[in-house]
Structures are given as structure tokens and as C-alpha cells.
């Protein structure tokens, strides 16, 4: 019995040690072609695109790098929201990353939701103090269950960490400076027209707080800031229901005083072409190429 | 702790109370049914012991068995008849669909009904020990075993109720079994479940390679889920001083189908052998009758699992395979011939699980046709096969981890199979895997039967 208890105690001690190591140094196993790690290593980026999978799927890193002055990097997390983008930006600045220009994803559906950890990869890319701070801030308005904590600090990213020599290598072939290199096919307009999406009542106060924090951080650190709205499929753009996507875009624009905004000119981009979209908000590889060219022209014109 | 502080004579009462409380918590509305079945069957068993005449005893036995079977059939198979009736009514009315409310099945009824039947039959055969109502009620309702077995025989369990003392080696075995069971269930089976469910639900949307992978994973998932549950149930019993036989004895190391059924769900297989196959005549009436008896036994096993045609076909496949298998139950060492035989048996059993897993016979056939007809290996087929694991680029690491964990289990089980000691280091690693890779929340697959 003593032997069994000894074994269990030692195993649990190893477990605690591994959890601490994982949360403090897990970022070492993170990929070198995507996420925050390459940015922190390089310490400087001229054009940083900060957003969600909409940016990852909708921006062609090659087109951006060929047409924009200086270095370009796309930092994305699935479902990334303004609240977290502000935290990520602050963390990068704290880690000594110099940013010349920042382009922020204006996807308003996530801005309408209460902040939540939508992509645990953020927890892989950061150290323990950052994670604790995030949890501390979120816990002011969100209830965490033991399961949530367990997932965040223990089980999340374990597959990646335990297979990182292979999984990092595989991921490296899929990304370049945060840009997705995988070819993604579009849908037919028929399929997209049959898919549905909801409406939202209003923007979330905590997310708006995040938007203002991004503005303040950029002002304080002399970063040129632009808000970018990527193309959405025609059904979404022309939706006129109460609380529709375009209503929320207007609310967002009011919050940022309509300044430094890069909206899509739908005269230049065929938003009814299903081949350009994977779904109503994510562009296909074909759509990504066309739109990125439009965006760099817009940026260069704006500047 | 509280349990072992109690005097030994009060321990069965404590376990009975705990079992009743457990059943109340998981299925309060059917607790009365459980108690009624216990009381009626105990009364009939008492009468069986009193009567000397074979005719009276037979009558009493049939009465008891019928009560249990009718109750089981009422809850388990009524939905089957309700659906049939509903379809019949709908076919006459043509327009609107009639909704007849379907019945809920009491948790564990399939398992405790079999326990009761075995007690009645054993009493009839004068093979049971004398026991009090309390001991009998505990035997039927013992909480670790009530949801999905194992279907332990009365003789084995009731004998132990008189001597529920703390035994260190049994206690340690209990903890080890619980850890191994949890590892199998929440680390391996539950890790496979989302992928298996996705592919089995919409196999036509994925390459045939995905269906093949899902079928193999389901085979492993079912084994890990059910044997994991059995180990946890046995382990909990051992913590309370009650030992049980193994319910799974490395079935996928079987070199033929007969050996497989001697190692898979042993408590059900041996129950069916003792209370169906042997009463049917067993091997006593010639070769042809023996084969028919085997097929009938497996058909009953299929119907016990479910009422749809796919379960009947599944039972039939195993019945015919067993009846016409010439191989003897042999346990050999791992050599080329035996490994080849293991692989053939594994794949045969795995294909039969498609009928077990699919909701209808036609869908099971469609899936098999899809696997064979549309089979291609290409870059996009591989990518689309792997993607359902997580839906993004982490699918590869997910599959890699799964692969390593299955290999770890395979090495552990092959060591056990060859009688190598149960080193605590293996248990330590399993505990760490549970803590880091465990996912909690899904039900036990065999709970539905």
C-alpha cells in the first residue's frame, strides 16, 4: 500500500511540475511560421495584420509582402475578438516588439459576443503571467468552471506539445509569416444562398472596451492604426433585417469615429461570386488573391 | 474509510444503501420497479427451495423467468412495437404522422434481469448458496455493476458478502483497475468517439479511407469503452472487498472467432452458454443440432443488444461464423502464423461491428459498399480523412497522439497477455495520460443495452 501511495504521490508531483513547465515554456514548441512566437523573436514588424480566421483565410501573404513597404506578418487566432486583440497587442509591446502599422480585423459578429477564449492556441503562444492575467480579467464578468480551467491550463495544446517536432514541421509547411498557404476551394452561389446566418442585438461593451484599448495602445506607441473590413458574401451584405451584419458595422464605425477605416468597395470585388467564398465570411484562395490586391492598392492610396 | 470503520456485519447493509442511493440518483422513477423485481424473484426463489416436486419447481421457475422476461421485453422492446404500430397507422392515414409516446428504458434492466434469471435457474438447479433478502438485493443492485455489468453469478458474489474485510492486495488491484479502466475509457475511447461519430453519421461526405479508419477506430473504441467500464466496475468492487472475474481477456489477441467469444464480454457469453445454449441441448444432440443451437444463441445475443434488423444480422454473422469455425480455442505465443490469424479475426470482427454500430441494416450495407467501391488513395483523400479529427491542422498531431496511446495500450496488454507483471510504472504513465489527455463527459457505449 505504501508503495502505491508513494507512486501516486510522485506521479501527481510530476504532473504539477509538467503543468507548470507547459504553461511557462510551452511556447517554445509553437511554430515558427505562425502565431506570436515569430513576432517576439524578430522584435520588429512593419505591417501587422491582427485578426481572426477571416484574416487568415482572406489575406494573401505573398500579395501583401510584394506590394507593401517593409515586413508583413498576419497574426490570427480562430474567433479572435477585439478584447483579446488588445491583450495580444499589449503583450507583444511588452515583449519588445516594434510595430509600424497595425491592421485590425473588423469582423463585427465576434464584437457582438461576450469575450471568450475561442482559440486555446493563444495559451500555447504565451507565458504563464499572460495566461493568469487573461483569466483574472475574464473572471470579472465570466464564470469559469473547473472544467474551463482544466482545459485552459492542462489539456489544451497537449497534442501539439507532445508531437511538436512533427506537428510544427507540418504546420510550417502550411503557413508563411502567419499567412495560410493551403488552397481552399470556394462554394457555388447555390450552396451559399441556402446557408443561413443570424442577427445580433448590439455590440458587446467589453469588446468595445478592447477596441478603445487598441486605439490607445497605438497612440501611446506611435503605431499607425487601420481597421479593415474584409468582403462578405452578397447575402450578408444585402441583409436588411434588424440587427443584421451591416447594422453592426455601422455601430462599430461610430465607435471608431469612422477614422482610418478600410472598407470593401464592392464595385471592385464581385461579392456574389460563390467561387470567392468558403462560406459567408471566409474567402477562398481565389477570392483571397483578388481581394488582397484590392486591399494593398487601397492601403497604398490611403497612405 | 467510513466503510472500513463499520463492523464487518454492517458492511453489506451499507453497500445496499449505497446501491439504492446510486440507482435513485441515476434513475429514480424506476427504483420501485427494481425493488419489486427483487422482492418477487426472491420470493419465488424461496418457494423453489421449499418445493420438492420437479413439476412444481419447473412451474415456479417458468413463472419467475417469465415475469422478468416480460418486464424486460415490455421496456426494452415496446418501442420497437410502438414504432411498428405507428408506421402501420401512418400507412393507413397517409397524411399526418401519428406520435405515440415512446417508453424510456430503466437503466441497467438488461443486466439485472439476467442476474435475476441466473439466480432463479441456479436455485432450481440447487446451485446457489442460501442468502438473506438483503444479500440478494445487494447482489442484484450492486452499484458498480448495475449500469453495464459484468453479469456476475450469485454464487460468486453472495459468498463474498459474509467476509467483506479489508485486503490490501485487493484494494491495490482495485485502484490499478480503476486507473487502467479510466485510461481505456476517457483517454482512448472518448478520444476516438468524435471522429467515429462524425464519419458513421455522414460517411458519404468523406473518402472511403475515412470510413475504413472509422470502422477500425470504432472496433478499438468499443473494446476500450466497454472493457474500461468493466475494469472500473471491478475495481470499485475490489475497493469494497468484492472481487469479480475478468469480463474481457484480451479479445483482440484471439486467433479465431471461438477464442474471441471466450475472451469478449465473458460474463454475457458464459451466461448465454449456461442459460440458453446448454438448455437448448448444447452439443448433446449431434453436430447439426449443435450448430443450430450456436446460431440461436448468437441470434438471442443480437436481439438482446437491439431490436433492429442490423443487430439480428450481427448475431447471425457471429452465430454462423462460430458454428462453422473449425478452429479450436487455443492460446499460442506470438508467431507469424498466430499474428496473421489475430489480424484476420480482428478484421472479421471489425467488419461485423458495422452492423452493430449503424442504426439500420441498409445503412450498414451502404457503408460497406462505399468502403469497397469508392476506395482511392490520394493526397486529398488522406487530408479529408484526417481533417475530421479536429477540423484544422492539429488533426495530424491528434492522430499521432492517438496512435502512440493505442500502441502504448497494445504493448501493455501484450505484456499482460504473456503474464508479465503489472508494474506500477505503467499505472503511473496511465495516470499521467488521464490527467493530460482525458476527456470527460461521454456515456458508456454499453449503457444503452
Amino acid at each position: 500500500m505504501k508503495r502505491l501511495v508513494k507512486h501516486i504521490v510522485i506521479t501527481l508531483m510530476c504532473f504539477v511540475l509538467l503543468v507548470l513547465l507547459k504553461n511557462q515554456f510551452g511556447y517554445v514548441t509553437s511554430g515558427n511560421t505562425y502565431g506570436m512566437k515569430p513576432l517576439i523573436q524578430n522584435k520588429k514588424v512593419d505591417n501587422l495584420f491582427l485578426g481572426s480566421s477571416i484574416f487568415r483565410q482572406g489575406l494573401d501573404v505573398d500579395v501583401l509582402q510584394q506590394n507593401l513597404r517593409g515586413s508583413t506578418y498576419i497574426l490570427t487566432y480562430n474567433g479572435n475578438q477585439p478584447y483579446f486583440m488588445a491583450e495580444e497587442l499589449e503583450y507583444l509591446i511588452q515583449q519588445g516588439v516594434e510595430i509600424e502599422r497595425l491592421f485590425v480585423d473588423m469582423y463585427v459578429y465576434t464584437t457582438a459576443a461576450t469575450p471568450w477564449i475561442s482559440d486555446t492556441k493563444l495559451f500555447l503562444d504565451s507565458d504563464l503571467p499572460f495566461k493568469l492575467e487573461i483569466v483574472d480579467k475574464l473572471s470579472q464578468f465570466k464564470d469559469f468552471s473547473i472544467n474551463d480551467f482544466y482545459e485552459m491550463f492542462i489539456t489544451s495544446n497537449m497534442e501539439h506539445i507532445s508531437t511538436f517536432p512533427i506537428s510544427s514541421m507540418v504546420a510550417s509547411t502550411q503557413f508563411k509569416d502567419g499567412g495560410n498557404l493551403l488552397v481552399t476551394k470556394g462554394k457555388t452561389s447555390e450552396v451559399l444562398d441556402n446557408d443561413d446566418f443570424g442577427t445580433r442585438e448590439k455590440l458587446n461593451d467589453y469588446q468595445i472596451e478592447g477596441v478603445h484599448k487598441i486605439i490607445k495602445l497605438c497612440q501611446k506607441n506611435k503605431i499607425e492604426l487601420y481597421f479593415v473590413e474584409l468582403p462578405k458574401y452578397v447575402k450578408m451584405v444585402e441583409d436588411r433585417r434588424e440587427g443584421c451584419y451591416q447594422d453592426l458595422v455601422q455601430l462599430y464605425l461610430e465607435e471608431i469615429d469612422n477614422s482610418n477605416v478600410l472598407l470593401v468597395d464592392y464595385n471592385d470585388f464581385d461579392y456574389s461570386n460563390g467561387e470567392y467564398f468558403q462560406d459567408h465570411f471566409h474567402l477562398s484562395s481565389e477570392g483571397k488573391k483578388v481581394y488582397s490586391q484590392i486591399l494593398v492598392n487601397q492601403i497604398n492610396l490611403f497612405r | 474509510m467510513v466503510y472500513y470503520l463499520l463492523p464487518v456485519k454492517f458492511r453489506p447493509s451499507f453497500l445496499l444503501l449505497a446501491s439504492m442511493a446510486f440507482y435513485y440518483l441515476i434513475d429514480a422513477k424506476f427504483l420501485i420497479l427494481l425493488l419489486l423485481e427483487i422482492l418477487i424473484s426472491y420470493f419465488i426463489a424461496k418457494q423453489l427451495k421449499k418445493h420438492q416436486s420437479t413439476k412444481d419447481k419447473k412451474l415456479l421457475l417458468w413463472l419467475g423467468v417469465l415475469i422478468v422476461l416480460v418486464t424486460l421485453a415490455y421496456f426494452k422492446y415496446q418501442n420497437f412495437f410502438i414504432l411498428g404500430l405507428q408506421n402501420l397507422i401512418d400507412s393507413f392515414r397517409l397524411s399526418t404522422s401519428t406520435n405515440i409516446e415512446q417508453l424510456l428504458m430503466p437503466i441497467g434492466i438488461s443486466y439485472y434481469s439476467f442476474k435475476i434469471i441466473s439466480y432463479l435457474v441456479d436455485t432450481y438447479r440447487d446451485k446457489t448458496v442460501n442468502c438473506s433478502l438483503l444479500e440478494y438485493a445487494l447482489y442484484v443492485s450492486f452499484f458498480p455493476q448495475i449500469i453495464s455489468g459484468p453479469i456476475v453469478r450469485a454464487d460468486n458474489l453472495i459468498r463474498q458478502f459474509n467476509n467483506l474485510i479489508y485486503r490490501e492486495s485487493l484494494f491495490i488491484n482495485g485502484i490499478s483497475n480503476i486507473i487502467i479502466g479510466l485510461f481505456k475509457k476517457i483517454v482512448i475511447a472518448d478520444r476516438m468517439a468524435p471522429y467515429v461519430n462524425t464519419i458513421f453519421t455522414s460517411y458519404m461526405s468523406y473518402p472511403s479511407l475515412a470510413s475504413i479508419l472509422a470502422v477500425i477506430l470504432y472496433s478499438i473504441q468499443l473494446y476500450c469503452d466497454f472493457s474500461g467500464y468493466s475494469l472500473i466496475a471491478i475495481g470499485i468492487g475490489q475497493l469494497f472487498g468484492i472481487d469479480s472475474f475478468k469480463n474481457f481477456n484480451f479479445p483482440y489477441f484471439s486467433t479465431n472467432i471461438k477464442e474471441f467469444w471466450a475472451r469478449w464480454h465473458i460474463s454475457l457469453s458464459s451466461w448465454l452458454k449456461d442459460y440458453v445454449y446448454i438448455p437448448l441441448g448444447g452439443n448433446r444432440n449431434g453436430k447439426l443440432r449443435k450448430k443450430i443451437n450456436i446460431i440461436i444463441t448468437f441470434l438471442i445475443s443480437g436481439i438482446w443488444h437491439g431490436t433492429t434488423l442490423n443487430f439480428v444480422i450481427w448475431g447471425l454473422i457471429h452465430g454462423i461464423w462460430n458454428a462453422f469455425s473449425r478452429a479450436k480455442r487455443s492460446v499460442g505465443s506470438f508467431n507469424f502464423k498466430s499474428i496473421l490469424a489475430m489480424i484476420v479475426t480482428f478484421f472479421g470482427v471489425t467488419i461485423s461491428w458495422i452492423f452493430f454500430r449503424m442504426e439500420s441494416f441498409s445503412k450498414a450495407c451502404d457503408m460497406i459498399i462505399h468502403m469497397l467501391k469508392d476506395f482511392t488513395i490520394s493526397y486529398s483523400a488522406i487530408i479529408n480523412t484526417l481533417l475530421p479529427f479536429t477540423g484544422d491542422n492539429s488533426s495530424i498531431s491528434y492522430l499521432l497522439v492517438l496512435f502512440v496511446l493505442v500502441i502504448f495500450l497494445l504493448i501493455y496488454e501484450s505484456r499482460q497477455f504473456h503474464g508479465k507483471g503489472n508494474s506500477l510504472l505503467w499505472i503511473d504513465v496511465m495516470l499521467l495520460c488521464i490527467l493530460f489527455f482525458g476527456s470527460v463527459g461521454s456515456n458508456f457505449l454499453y449503457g444503452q443495452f
Side-chain angles (χ1 to χ4, degrees):
Chain A
M1 191 65 185
K2 269 185 192 167
R3 207 170 138 243
L4 177 74
V5 172
K6 202 170 112 185
H7 266 264
I8 289 178
V9 169
I10 292 173
T11 306
L12 291 178
M13 279 164 63
C14 287
F15 170 67
V16 173
L17 184 70
L18 286 171
V19 169
L20 285 173
L21 286 173
K22 178 208 160 181
N23 283 291
Q24 182 61 32
F25 302 111
Y27 65 85
V28 175
T29 66
S30 186
N32 290 319
T33 53
Y34 66 110
M36 289 203 282
K37 188 181 152 193
L39 276 174
I40 295 167
Q41 280 174 341
N42 292 337
K43 297 284 178 200
K44 191 175 179 341
V45 62
D46 294 306
N47 307 295
L48 176 63
F49 289 83
L50 177 58
S52 64
S53 58
I54 305 238
F55 261 25
R56 185 164 64 239
Q57 305 289 350
L59 298 174
D60 189 312
V61 73
D62 288 329
V63 174
L64 299 179
Q65 287 179 337
Q66 282 160 17
N67 294 283
L68 293 177
R69 188 165 47 84
S71 58
T72 297
Y73 192 89
I74 302 169
L75 176 61
T76 57
Y77 292 102
N78 292 327
N80 211 4
Q81 312 130 56
Y83 187 88
F84 284 98
M85 290 185 213
E87 298 300 325
E88 289 150 20
L89 180 63
E90 190 175 33
Y91 181 69
L92 288 173
I93 293 167
Q94 279 170 6
Q95 299 294 316
V97 180
E98 284 178 37
I99 304 160
E100 192 75 24
R101 282 169 295 279
L102 177 69
F103 299 88
V104 171
D105 185 358
M106 244 184 78
Y107 179 53
V108 290
Y109 268 1
T110 50
T111 314
T114 310
W116 84 103
I117 298 165
S118 52
D119 189 348
T120 50
K121 188 179 181 301
L122 178 61
F123 271 50
L124 176 70
D125 289 352
S126 52
D127 56 20
L128 187 58
F130 175 78
K131 288 167 205 166
L132 292 173
E133 201 181 318
I134 288 275
V135 171
D136 183 44
K137 284 181 180 169
L138 282 181
S139 60
Q140 289 166 14
F141 53 88
K142 193 176 177 343
D143 288 332
F144 282 104
S145 66
I146 292 174
N147 272 354
D148 292 332
F149 278 113
Y150 204 83
E151 200 207 330
M152 283 188 283
F153 290 98
I154 295 164
T155 56
S156 69
N157 302 303
M158 274 310 293
E159 285 83 11
H160 176 88
I161 292 171
S162 49
T163 60
F164 84 92
I166 297 167
S167 54
S168 291
M169 195 175 73
V170 172
S172 301
T173 61
Q174 294 176 8
F175 294 97
K176 179 190 168 192
D177 293 320
N180 186 14
L181 301 178
L182 283 182
V183 176
T184 47
K185 285 182 182 168
K187 295 257 167 70
T188 61
S189 298
E190 247 180 351
V191 172
L192 290 169
D193 288 338
N194 282 328
D195 278 351
D196 219 349
F197 48 86
T199 55
R200 308 287 188 274
E201 272 183 26
K202 62 183 180 81
L203 298 179
N204 180 276
D205 291 342
Y206 294 104
Q207 302 287 10
I208 293 300
E209 210 178 274
V211 174
H212 290 299
K213 188 174 173 180
I214 292 171
I215 296 171
K216 275 184 196 159
L217 280 167
C218 288
Q219 284 168 347
K220 194 179 161 193
N221 293 281
K222 298 189 175 65
I223 301 168
E224 271 181 56
L225 173 65
Y226 301 90
F227 290 93
V228 186
E229 163 66 358
L230 261 64
K232 305 292 178 288
Y233 184 62
V234 59
K235 192 175 174 184
M236 203 163 196
V237 178
E238 293 181 355
D239 184 20
R240 290 292 172 266
R241 289 174 297 173
E242 200 177 324
C244 67
Y245 190 82
Q246 292 305 327
D247 284 354
L248 297 178
V249 170
Q250 286 310 312
L251 290 174
Y252 197 111
L253 291 173
E254 283 168 23
E255 288 294 337
I256 55 172
D257 295 331
N258 275 300
S259 56
N260 287 18
V261 181
L262 299 168
L263 293 174
V264 194
D265 183 348
Y266 285 110
N267 291 317
D268 297 336
F269 187 84
D270 182 7
Y271 62 126
S272 61
N273 184 352
E275 294 288 319
Y276 286 173
F277 292 90
Q278 292 179 60
D279 52 40
H280 291 117
F281 356 91
H282 293 97
L283 293 177
S284 64
S285 294
E286 205 181 332
K288 172 166 86 172
K289 222 169 203 81
V290 174
Y291 170 70
S292 297
Q293 195 56 57
I294 295 171
L295 180 68
V296 290
N297 294 340
Q298 229 177 339
I299 294 170
N300 290 332
L301 204 69
F302 202 96
R303 298 186 67 245
Chain B
M1 275 296 279
V2 176
Y3 176 73
Y4 283 113
L5 286 174
L6 287 170
V8 176
K9 63 174 178 179
F10 291 127
R11 287 177 191 170
S13 316
F14 176 87
L15 284 181
L16 180 62
L17 270 176
S19 298
M20 290 300 151
F22 178 75
Y23 201 85
Y24 178 79
L25 286 174
I26 58 166
D27 205 1
K29 58 187 174 300
F30 288 118
L31 180 62
I32 298 289
L33 178 78
L34 173 68
L35 289 172
L36 269 176
E37 286 208 61
I38 289 170
L39 284 172
I40 293 169
S41 57
Y42 183 74
F43 175 76
I44 292 172
K46 276 271 168 207
Q47 296 306 312
L48 270 171
K49 277 180 184 163
K50 273 184 196 166
H51 285 75
Q52 295 300 318
S53 129
T54 315
K55 198 182 160 193
D56 290 350
K57 282 176 86 174
K58 239 181 197 168
L59 208 69
L60 276 167
L61 174 68
W62 274 111
L63 176 72
V65 171
L66 267 177
I67 289 172
V68 177
L69 284 181
V70 167
T71 314
L72 176 66
Y74 177 76
F75 286 104
K76 192 160 177 168
Y77 304 114
Q78 204 189 40
N79 288 336
F80 170 71
F81 293 112
I82 286 175
L83 283 175
L85 184 68
Q86 193 169 317
N87 288 338
L88 194 72
I89 294 170
D90 288 347
S91 67
F92 281 112
R93 288 192 177 178
L94 293 169
S95 58
T96 51
S97 171
T98 322
N99 279 319
I100 302 173
E101 205 174 315
Q102 292 192 23
L103 272 180
L104 287 173
M105 194 170 78
I107 290 176
I109 190 166
S110 305
Y111 295 91
Y112 72 68
S113 297
F114 274 23
K115 272 182 161 182
I116 293 173
I117 291 173
S118 77
Y119 182 77
L120 290 172
V121 176
D122 287 353
T123 309
Y124 171 80
R125 292 171 179 168
D126 285 329
K127 279 184 178 172
T128 49
V129 288
N130 276 325
C131 67
S132 65
L133 177 61
L134 184 146
E135 287 170 329
Y136 176 69
L138 177 56
Y139 156 69
V140 177
S141 65
F142 186 44
F143 72 92
Q145 299 172 357
I146 196 150
I147 300 177
S148 307
I151 310 163
V152 182
R153 303 296 168 82
D155 203 28
N156 174 277
L157 211 57
I158 292 169
R159 267 184 215 280
Q160 298 184 63
F161 293 157
N162 297 319
N163 193 27
L164 294 177
I165 52 163
Y166 173 74
R167 280 173 284 167
E168 192 174 291
S169 60
L170 194 64
F171 195 87
I172 292 173
N173 269 345
I175 291 175
S176 301
N177 279 332
I178 291 170
I179 292 173
I180 301 165
L182 282 172
F183 174 79
K184 282 180 162 184
K185 165 67 185 155
I186 68 174
V187 177
I188 297 194
D190 288 357
R191 186 160 280 267
M192 291 173 173
Y195 184 86
V196 170
N197 293 343
T198 305
I199 305 298
F200 269 87
T201 312
S202 46
Y203 54 92
M204 288 307 275
S205 311
Y206 296 95
S208 65
L209 200 60
S211 295
I212 294 169
L213 182 62
V215 169
I216 294 170
L217 291 185
Y218 177 66
S219 201
I220 302 169
Q221 183 204 355
L222 186 66
Y223 166 64
C224 287
D225 190 283
F226 194 23
S227 68
Y229 170 84
S230 295
L231 279 173
I232 295 168
I234 291 168
I236 294 173
Q238 287 170 328
L239 294 186
F240 290 98
I242 295 169
D243 206 1
S244 308
F245 296 116
K246 273 183 179 179
N247 204 20
F248 288 84
N249 190 19
F250 316 110
Y252 287 147
F253 290 144
S254 306
T255 52
N256 59 68
I257 195 66
K258 282 185 177 158
E259 192 186 344
F260 173 81
W261 279 107
R263 295 174 176 279
W264 179 276
H265 202 174
I266 298 165
S267 63
L268 178 69
S269 307
S270 62
W271 191 98
L272 288 168
K273 185 184 150 202
D274 290 349
Y275 303 105
V276 179
Y277 175 70
I278 290 173
L280 280 173
N283 58 4
R284 294 190 298 271
N285 301 313
K287 281 184 181 173
L288 181 68
R289 189 57 206 262
K290 181 189 164 188
K291 288 186 199 313
I292 292 169
N293 290 342
I294 290 173
I295 294 170
I296 292 171
T297 308
F298 275 97
L299 267 179
I300 289 171
S301 171
I303 294 164
W304 179 83
H305 283 94
T307 45
T308 46
L309 183 63
N310 44 321
F311 283 108
V312 177
I313 298 292
W314 173 79
L316 204 62
I317 291 170
H318 279 277
I320 294 170
W321 192 2
N322 260 277
F324 292 93
S325 168
R326 287 186 178 179
K328 288 174 187 169
R329 282 188 210 163
S330 63
V331 184
S333 57
F334 286 177
N335 54 41
F336 178 73
K337 205 177 158 189
S338 67
I339 289 173
L340 196 69
M342 279 176 202
I343 293 170
V344 170
T345 311
F346 173 77
F347 278 102
V349 170
T350 296
I351 290 167
S352 75
W353 289 135
I354 300 175
F355 295 96
F356 193 84
R357 172 63 175 77
M358 272 299 186
E359 57 265 41
S360 71
F361 175 66
S362 61
K363 279 189 177 176
C365 292
D366 282 348
M367 190 177 189
I368 293 170
I369 291 167
H370 174 61
M371 281 161 61
L372 298 172
K373 208 177 116 192
D374 307 327
F375 183 76
T376 50
I377 293 185
S378 62
Y379 179 72
S380 72
I382 293 169
I383 293 291
N384 288 322
T385 298
L386 299 182
L387 261 179
F389 275 109
T390 60
D392 58 25
N393 60 50
S394 60
S395 289
I396 291 171
S397 35
Y398 197 89
L399 180 70
L400 273 174
V401 169
L402 190 58
F403 181 73
V404 170
L405 290 168
V406 171
I407 295 294
F408 173 79
L409 182 68
L410 186 72
I411 295 169
Y412 172 76
E413 295 222 324
S414 68
R415 279 173 57 87
Q416 294 285 303
F417 184 72
H418 287 112
K420 291 185 182 160
N422 198 356
S423 160
L424 277 177
L425 205 62
W426 288 89
I427 307 295
D428 296 339
V429 177
M430 284 188 196
L431 184 58
L432 273 180
C433 289
I434 292 165
L435 293 168
F436 277 116
F437 296 107
S439 55
V440 185
S442 69
N443 294 327
F444 288 102
L445 290 178
Y446 249 76
Q448 62 187 297
F449 303 122

